[in-house]
């Protein structure tokens, strides 16, 4: 881990991901002040010992670093424009860790630079468990110097940090990764349903695929049937984890990128359609591996 002096950090967005990330920064010795619009998140942060400001502007005033973890790109850009950039001290490093569109990340970067600040996009992968355990993966877009300055903070919250290139390329890596994840999770679910209909036991299929050429994270960690992987959401009635609504959102960003770049990504497009339908039903609040229930319910 890279050694670093204590920083004053403003952490905006103290939800299921943001709060444990902020707590890991506190454990690493940083002075963290938070803000969130949701009263329940504010209460949880205060109960955990994190001071919460009355506004975003109050939170960022005097901060060395501002980390944002918001639901969507429009929230990031609005917050930057409405109060955060104006309230921050000159040269503040903004770390944008929401999952947003590549062009939104680049817009946020340009807004920050125009206001006299620095900015990187640093979306995460690893879910709530990764946030709690400090084992998140960060995909980072920005300058070499800003990446180096942010690295000690990112290492306090994550285990794998990759500098993917210039502004927006962290988000580009995230959208590509989650498209792969969605496609593979659907394929694994379809294989288990096919195996069921052919008379295969779940454990037998797992024992083969997990050690053969079909091996992937979607089977060895996020196995969509109860039993073979006791820690998978399938053993908790598909409690997330990573909710179907979030996967549908990320695939919407992937679809936007596919269309903007005229990429022939037929599996990505189909995955987006499948998860959009899943999230439109009771899959919104279930782990995305619960897609197997929709596949199982469909007659061939």
């Amino acid at each position: 881990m890279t050694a670093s002096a204590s920083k004053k950090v403003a952490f905006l967005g103290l939800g299921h991901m943001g709060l444990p990330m902020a707590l890991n920064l506190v454990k690493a010795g940083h002075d963290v002040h938070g803000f969130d619009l949701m009263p329940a998140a504010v209460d949880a942060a205060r109960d955990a010992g994190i001071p919460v400001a009355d506004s975003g502007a109050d939170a960022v005033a005097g901060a060395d670093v501002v980390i944002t973890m918001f639901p969507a790109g429009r929230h990031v850009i609005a917050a930057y424009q409405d109060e955060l950039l104006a309230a921050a001290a000159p040269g503040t490093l903004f770390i944008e860790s929401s999952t947003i569109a590549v062009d939104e990340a680049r817009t946020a970067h340009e807004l920050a630079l125009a206001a006299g600040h620095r900015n990187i996009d640093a979306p995460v992968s690893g879910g709530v468990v990764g946030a709690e355990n400090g084992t998140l993966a960060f995909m980072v877009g920005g300058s070499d110097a800003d990446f180096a300055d942010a690295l000690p903070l990112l290492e306090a919250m994550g285990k794998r940090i990759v500098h993917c290139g210039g502004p927006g390329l962290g988000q580009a890596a995230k959208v590509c990764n989650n498209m792969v994840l969605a496609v593979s999770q659907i394929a694994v679910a379809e294989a288990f349903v096919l195996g069921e209909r052919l008379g295969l036991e779940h454990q037998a299929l797992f024992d083969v695929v997990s050690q053969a050429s079909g091996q992937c994270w979607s089977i060895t960690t996020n196995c969509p049937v109860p039993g073979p992987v006791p820690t998978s959401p399938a053993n908790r009635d598909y409690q997330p984890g990573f909710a179907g609504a979030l996967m549908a959102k990320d695939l919407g960003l992937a679809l936007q990128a596919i269309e903007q770049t005229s990429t022939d990504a037929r599996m990505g497009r189909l995955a987006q359609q499948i998860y959009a339908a899943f999230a439109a039903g009771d899959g919104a609040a279930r782990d995305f591996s619960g897609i197997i229930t929709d596949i199982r319910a469909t007659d061939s």
Side-chain angles (χ1 to χ4, degrees), residues 65-94:
V65 179
V66 176
I67 301 174
T68 47
M69 180 65 93
F70 292 160
R74 66 182 184 276
H75 303 119
V76 175
I77 293 171
Y80 273 31
Q81 291 178 321
D82 292 348
E83 57 177 352
L84 300 187
L85 298 178
T92 298
L93 176 60
F94 280 76

Side-chain angles (χ1 to χ4, degrees), residues 80-262:
Y80 273 31
Q81 291 178 321
D82 292 348
E83 57 177 352
L84 300 187
L85 298 178
T92 298
L93 176 60
F94 280 76
I95 300 176
E96 214 311 282
S97 286
S98 319
T99 296
I100 63 178
V102 175
D103 58 352
E104 291 173 327
R106 289 174 174 156
T107 295
H109 179 81
E110 291 166 2
L111 288 169
L113 263 60
H117 303 301
R118 298 172 294 149
N119 170 272
I120 62 171
D121 50 290
V124 304
S125 179
V128 175
V129 172
E132 292 172 346
N133 294 336
T135 57
L136 292 170
F138 283 89
M139 296 140 273
V140 183
S143 73
D144 290 344
D146 291 342
F147 173 74
D149 285 349
L151 185 58
L153 293 166
L154 301 180
E155 288 181 329
M157 299 180 285
K159 187 175 181 180
R160 175 76 170 156
I161 297 96
V162 179
H163 188 195
C164 299
L169 292 182
Q171 297 291 353
K174 175 67 184 290
V175 78
C176 291
N177 176 79
N178 278 25
M179 186 173 73
V180 172
L181 176 59
V183 171
S184 66
Q185 194 70 58
I186 293 167
V188 168
E190 289 179 346
F192 271 101
V193 173
L194 177 60
E196 290 168 1
R197 294 177 179 180
L198 292 171
L200 270 172
E201 294 291 335
H202 290 160
Q203 188 66 51
L205 182 57
F206 175 85
D207 290 344
V208 171
V209 178
S210 65
Q211 299 297 322
S213 55
Q215 187 277 329
C216 59
W217 187 91
S218 294
I219 190 166
T220 57
T221 299
N222 220 45
C223 184
V225 295
V229 179
T231 55
S232 76
N235 296 283
R236 306 188 306 272
D237 194 29
Y238 301 103
Q239 296 177 35
F242 186 60
L246 295 177
M247 178 56 85
K249 171 207 164 188
D250 287 1
L251 288 170
L253 297 176
L255 180 61
Q256 179 179 330
I258 287 167
E259 292 178 342
Q260 287 175 343
T261 58
S262 300

